[in-house]
Amino acid sequence: MALVSLLLVAAPATAVTTERPAAPSESARNKAAGPVAAPAARAPSCDPRRASPRPSRVDGPAVRRIRERGHLVAGVDLNSHLWGSRDPYTRQPVGFDVDLVRAIARDILGPKATVRFVSMPPGQRIARLQARQVDVIVRTMSITCDRLADVAFSSVYFETGHRLLVPEGSPVTGFDERLRGRRVCLGKGSSAAELLRTSGTGARAVETASHLDCLVELQQGKVDAILTHATLAAGLAAQDPTLRLVGPRLDTALYGVAMNKDDTDLVRRVNAVLEDYRKGGARSPWMASYDKWLAPTLGPRPQGPPRAEYAD
């Protein structure tokens, strides 16, 4: 993938710079990130819903670092329809995750906050956080016990789960024996890999840089199905009406804003932003963003945003 760097026109409330780096090799990523400590042993009592500290707006070193720099650096996916993509007319980043990034930036930097959006595939997320190349990652990233050994997360801001996406007329109707010997595409570094590995379906995993690359593979007949979160699969189906979701949701995925483990003050600050973002019921900023981006595909959400729980 070629390196593409774009300076975009400022959005109404947020000036934006967007960088799309080429996906480096594993060795290059490790060199860029520097030495990374071995993952800590996972606590038996790990609870992804209650892994984040309580909200606070007390400024600490991470928040001050962002203010001194003058802009927030956010890792996102600009190839996920509805969640993060470029508006075809303004070329500005838009989507559910992008709305949340801008809310975080405004809270820390004020109404004229500047955001530098860095688009990256799933496999680069943790290394870039550990190398402090980004302040936050808001990229449909699931909170898992394994990841909590390497990075910190906010409270849960969205709940979903994996489903299969197949072409119309496919003999695959669910996550079962009909997958035996078939090629199932998933994003490298995504939580779908472990789900498929332990499924016992006999499916063959095909990893690509992102779920958007999986869409191309499926359209070209190189794979038989895509395994990804229902939220992302819905965005792909909205782009290609010849595709359909099959079978029930296979698990529960909890999205959180990921940050460097040492940036505790930033984690608490983001949780404070999320508290405000959820407030107001049907009139909350969270619901306004959901209704704009996700409701047309995923349907209404009468239960509203997920309830926050904290570790302390």
Side-chain angles (χ1 to χ4, degrees):
M1 186 181 298
L3 176 66
V4 179
S5 226
L6 296 176
L7 179 62
L8 301 180
V9 180
T14 310
V16 183
T17 303
T18 302
E19 174 187 320
R20 181 62 192 262
S25 65
E26 184 69 26
S27 60
R29 288 202 304 271
N30 292 339
K31 183 177 179 180
V36 176
R42 187 171 67 184
S45 59
C46 171
D47 181 356
R49 289 187 185 274
R50 303 187 63 183
S52 196
R54 288 193 175 276
S56 172
R57 281 193 163 85
V58 175
D59 289 356
V63 172
R64 288 196 296 269
R65 185 176 68 240
I66 294 167
R67 287 212 179 108
E68 289 168 3
R69 185 197 305 131
H71 63 271
L72 179 74
V73 183
V76 294
D77 182 1
L78 293 181
N79 293 300
S80 288
H81 184 53
L82 309 178
W83 289 87
S85 61
R86 292 185 182 89
D87 182 280
Y89 299 104
T90 67
R91 303 303 294 164
Q92 294 293 324
V94 294
F96 188 85
D97 277 349
V98 171
D99 284 353
L100 178 53
V101 168
R102 288 190 168 127
I104 295 168
R106 287 193 297 268
D107 189 88
I108 295 173
L109 296 166
K112 296 183 179 180
T114 301
V115 180
R116 180 178 170 226
F117 289 92
V118 180
S119 183
M120 65 186 70
Q124 295 182 19
R125 294 177 297 193
I126 289 176
R128 283 176 175 260
L129 271 179
Q130 291 176 325
R132 294 196 183 281
Q133 295 174 357
V134 293
D135 300 311
V136 298
I137 288 181
V138 188
R139 195 196 183 285
T140 58
M141 188 170 180
S142 302
I143 307 169
T144 68
C145 293
D146 288 338
R147 287 173 179 166
L148 283 165
D150 298 319
V151 298
F153 280 96
S154 70
S155 59
V156 177
Y157 73 84
F158 204 90
E159 182 174 330
T160 184
H162 286 92
R163 288 186 71 185
L164 279 171
L165 186 69
V166 300
E168 284 183 349
S170 170
V172 175
T173 57
F175 202 62
D176 53 32
E177 66 280 354
R178 291 182 179 86
L179 282 174
R180 185 164 301 280
R182 299 188 187 277
R183 298 156 299 176
V184 177
C185 193
L186 46 91
K188 186 176 179 62
S190 72
S191 51
E194 180 67 9
L195 180 62
L196 188 63
R197 187 184 69 81
T198 59
S199 67
T201 60
R204 295 162 50 197
V206 177
E207 291 190 332
T208 63
S210 72
H211 64 283
L212 189 64
D213 293 323
C214 279
L215 175 61
V216 176
E217 295 284 295
L218 188 63
Q219 290 171 329
Q220 293 179 348
K222 295 180 179 178
V223 297
D224 302 293
I226 298 173
L227 180 62
T228 189
H229 290 159
T231 45
L232 301 177
L236 297 179
Q239 293 173 274
D240 186 342
T242 68
L243 305 179
R244 60 189 176 93
L245 287 160
V246 295
R249 198 175 84 178
L250 301 171
D251 57 1
T252 297
L254 308 171
Y255 291 168
V257 179
M259 290 155 278
N260 189 289
K261 287 195 74 170
D262 294 333
D263 291 347
T264 305
D265 64 305
L266 180 59
V267 178
R268 292 186 184 274
R269 183 62 171 252
V270 170
N271 281 341
V273 175
L274 283 170
E275 285 286 321
D276 291 342
Y277 205 63
R278 298 182 183 101
K279 284 180 182 175
R283 296 183 178 180
S284 67
W286 191 100
M287 281 301 302
S289 184
Y290 180 91
D291 289 343
K292 179 178 181 179
W293 300 110
L294 305 179
T297 303
L298 297 179
R301 189 179 176 92
Q303 72 271 34
R307 183 171 60 90
E309 300 181 53
Y310 301 105
D312 54 1

